[in-house]
Amino acid sequence: MSELVETVPSVPPPSLAEPRPRVAAALADDAQLIEACRRGEARAMEVLYHQYKRRVFGMAHRIVGASDAEEVAQEVFVRIFRALERFRGDSALSTWIYRLTVNASLSHLAKRGRRHEVGDDSLGELPAPPALERDHGLAARIEAGLAQLPPGYRAILVLHDVEGLSHEECAQILECRVGTCKSQLHKARARMREILGPDIHGERGGKDRA
Amino acid sequence: MSCEDVRPRLTGYLDGELDADRGSVVRGHLRECAACRQVATDEAALRDGLRQLPHVDPPPSLWAGVQARLAEAEVADARRPAWRRALTRWLPSAPRFAAGTLVAATAVGVLWWRSQRGPDGDVATQPEPTAIATAPTTPRMSQTHVVVASDRGEPDVTADLAGEAGRVTASYGDAAEELLALAGEVRGQWTEEQRTAFDARVAELRGTIASAADGHPRQRAWRDLIRYLQNAVVRDEIAFAGGGQ
């Protein structure tokens, strides 16, 4: 029994969970930025771009893959600046931008008829140094696992677990109910566990379990 | 509580979303069930791994690409006939406008039909009211706009915008030159075979840029070159990170 008690704390209790980074910017700042962009101020547009470039590109990168991420991110920013005039502020600016990014990414995948990233064609053109074949650790395995997920699961995992958004924000972005969002996250994590298998704990963990 | 009851709640438990009672029940089950404990440990490792994924930095060419596409869109806007611009502005409210038009046309039709009825309730022998019922659903204002705008002889702003697109596209060249310089610094670490393949591919991509049509095709060709150079440079960084093996 004492052994059981000792092993349970290895599952992080909720109280020890690290605080999630919040991504929503202050509403007042957003409103000023939006107004300046609507007036066509180049500086404001650049500020908005730099404020969201990592989130937009990161989301696109993880949903459509490396080779198409730039094209999708460009499309998203063009849509943002062209549609900002019609942004009514019903949701936070960040939520709206995330929604545009997810929709553009999923539409891009649908157009291409691809379920997952199959690799950057241009990579095959340059002889690969041996270092690329090394195991880059858990992050690389997770990235590879993400690429094998259905796009919808990829989207919810990136929004909730990578970007740290709440279920309520994810539901707004994906335009679904909070309950649906939670169940999708549960299924997505379960699928990821299946894909990663013992690799989820790294080489040492895998060997221990084997 | 069985494993089947606990498993769906593990995600909420690990994320701290269960209330104290439910959390306690799940925790109690985990103390006794090794299989569920393993699932919880795996999911916690996965969740932590996802949270710790590094940021993916966008390439330097992204902003130039956005500006180029915005400029392209503005050029296209400026070249589009005035009636199409008006239609584009009108389209977002089209459903409401169409509904309003339908109601108004119906009301006019009913009034006209009633006005044509004789004292005994028969419809008088008059032309069919179809002309009114099928009133145009597009705003008449936009048609008027066409004539006015096309006859006004406004200054051609598209020339400036086209020039802007060209200037923005030129920034691709700057980004490519920077990346080429970086590649030049690290190419000493490559094999002769890699250097030959790199030079051949860069020459090929430059040829594609030269032969591509102005506008989007040429920008795509620039992006292909930039992406290739980024891969080459980043790959070399990875090689150095691994001790240059």
Side-chain angles (χ1 to χ4, degrees), chain A residues 4-5 7-8 10-14 17-18 20 42 45-46 49 53-54 57-58 61-62 66-67 70-71 73-75 77-78 81-82 86 112 120 122-123 125-132 134 136 138-139 142-143 146 157 160-162 167 182 185-186 189-190 192-193 196 200-201 209, chain B residues 7-11 13-17 27 30-32 37-59 61-63 65-66 69-70 73-74 77 80 92 172 193-194 197-198 201 216 220 223 227-228 230-232 235 238-239 241-242 245:
Chain A
L4 282 178
V5 172
T7 55
V8 169
S10 65
V11 178
E18 291 180 7
R20 296 178 184 176
M45 292 171 73
E46 202 168 341
Y49 165 78
K53 64 180 180 183
R54 272 186 162 180
F57 185 78
H61 188 276
R62 288 184 169 118
S67 60
E70 186 175 358
E71 188 175 343
Q74 275 187 15
E75 173 72 26
F77 277 110
V78 169
F81 290 125
R82 304 267 291 166
R86 298 195 295 274
R112 292 289 173 91
D120 188 343
S122 62
L123 281 179
E125 297 159 5
L126 190 68
L132 273 187
R134 289 185 299 113
H136 294 306
L138 180 60
I142 288 179
E143 296 278 14
L146 273 176
L157 272 183
H160 188 274
D161 286 349
V162 180
H167 285 298
K182 287 181 179 177
L185 177 69
H186 174 70
R189 283 189 187 170
M192 272 292 275
R193 280 192 280 109
L196 293 175
I200 205 166
H201 296 285
R209 293 184 64 175
Chain B
R7 296 282 172 93
R9 298 183 183 184
L10 279 180
T11 299
Y13 169 73
L14 292 170
D15 290 348
E17 293 164 357
R27 201 156 38 243
L30 292 179
R31 288 181 187 280
E32 295 179 336
R37 203 160 56 235
Q38 186 62 59
V39 171
T41 306
D42 287 353
E43 183 155 332
L46 170 64
R47 180 205 59 187
D48 292 344
L50 283 163
R51 284 184 183 178
Q52 290 163 14
L53 282 182
H55 286 294
V56 186
D57 281 322
S61 57
L62 179 59
W63 180 231
V66 171
R69 289 182 64 169
L70 281 171
E74 287 171 356
D77 281 348
R80 198 183 305 158
Y172 278 122
E193 185 186 22
Q194 286 175 328
F198 175 82
R201 183 65 178 138
H216 201 54
R220 283 186 72 91
R223 286 202 295 274
R227 190 180 300 136
Y228 180 76
Q230 286 165 345
N231 287 332
R235 176 164 296 183
I238 292 170
Q245 296 172 10

Side-chain angles (χ1 to χ4, degrees), chain A:
Chain A
M1 184 63 195
S2 62
E3 184 187 342
L4 282 178
V5 172
E6 283 172 10
T7 55
V8 169
S10 65
V11 178
S15 58
L16 295 183
E18 291 180 7
R20 296 178 184 176
R22 305 299 302 170
V23 296
L27 287 176
D29 291 346
D30 279 352
Q32 288 172 0
L33 192 58
I34 291 166
E35 275 311 308
C37 288
R38 281 174 176 163
R39 289 194 298 268
E41 290 180 18
R43 178 69 190 142
M45 292 171 73
E46 202 168 341
V47 167
L48 188 145
Y49 165 78
H50 285 297
Q51 198 167 313
Y52 288 97
K53 64 180 180 183
R54 272 186 162 180
R55 294 177 226 174
V56 169
F57 185 78
M59 282 286 300
H61 188 276
R62 288 184 169 118
I63 295 179
V64 304
S67 60
D68 291 347
E70 186 175 358
E71 188 175 343
V72 171
Q74 275 187 15
E75 173 72 26
V76 171
F77 277 110
V78 169
R79 285 191 199 179
I80 289 170
F81 290 125
R82 304 267 291 166
L84 207 51
E85 198 175 338
R86 298 195 295 274
F87 175 65
R88 293 174 300 179
D90 293 341
S91 60
L93 179 64
S94 59
T95 303
W96 182 66
I97 290 177
Y98 272 124
R99 189 183 304 144
L100 287 178
T101 308
V102 170
N103 288 344
S105 300
L106 296 180
S107 299
H108 184 84
L109 285 181
K111 272 188 232 164
R112 292 289 173 91
R114 302 188 324 189
R115 287 189 60 79
H116 60 269
E117 167 64 8
V118 292
D120 188 343
D121 294 342
S122 62
L123 281 179
E125 297 159 5
L126 190 68
L132 273 187
E133 295 166 11
R134 289 185 299 113
D135 183 354
H136 294 306
L138 180 60
R141 285 194 295 281
I142 288 179
E143 296 278 14
L146 273 176
Q148 295 178 51
L149 282 179
Y153 284 175
R154 242 178 281 170
I156 184 66
L157 272 183
V158 174
L159 286 170
H160 188 274
D161 286 349
V162 180
E163 297 293 326
L165 302 185
S166 69
H167 285 298
E168 287 72 19
E169 288 168 317
C170 292
Q172 273 196 315
I173 290 163
L174 299 173
E175 295 177 306
C176 64
R177 290 182 302 175
V178 172
T180 306
C181 180
K182 287 181 179 177
S183 70
Q184 288 294 100
L185 177 69
H186 174 70
K187 290 175 186 171
R189 283 189 187 170
R191 181 72 74 86
M192 272 292 275
R193 280 192 280 109
E194 286 173 19
I195 291 171
L196 293 175
D199 284 350
I200 205 166
H201 296 285
E203 288 179 358
R204 181 184 292 177
K207 284 173 187 167
D208 289 348
R209 293 184 64 175

Side-chain angles (χ1 to χ4, degrees), chain B residues 117-203:
Chain B
R117 287 167 67 92
D120 56 354
D122 291 338
V123 177
T125 310
Q126 292 289 335
E128 293 293 322
T130 50
I132 294 175
T134 57
T137 54
T138 50
R140 185 174 295 276
M141 184 184 70
S142 64
Q143 295 168 10
T144 311
H145 211 107
V146 179
V147 179
V148 174
S150 60
D151 291 349
R152 201 182 296 160
E154 292 171 341
D156 181 14
V157 296
T158 60
D160 273 354
L161 289 170
E164 184 182 341
R167 285 191 294 278
V168 173
T169 305
S171 63
Y172 278 122
D174 296 339
E177 287 307 319
E178 282 180 30
L179 287 165
L180 270 172
L182 283 173
E185 289 174 13
V186 297
R187 65 179 289 138
Q189 307 296 323
W190 300 345
T191 64
E192 186 58 37
E193 185 186 22
Q194 286 175 328
R195 282 195 289 270
T196 306
F198 175 82
D199 291 339
R201 183 65 178 138
V202 169

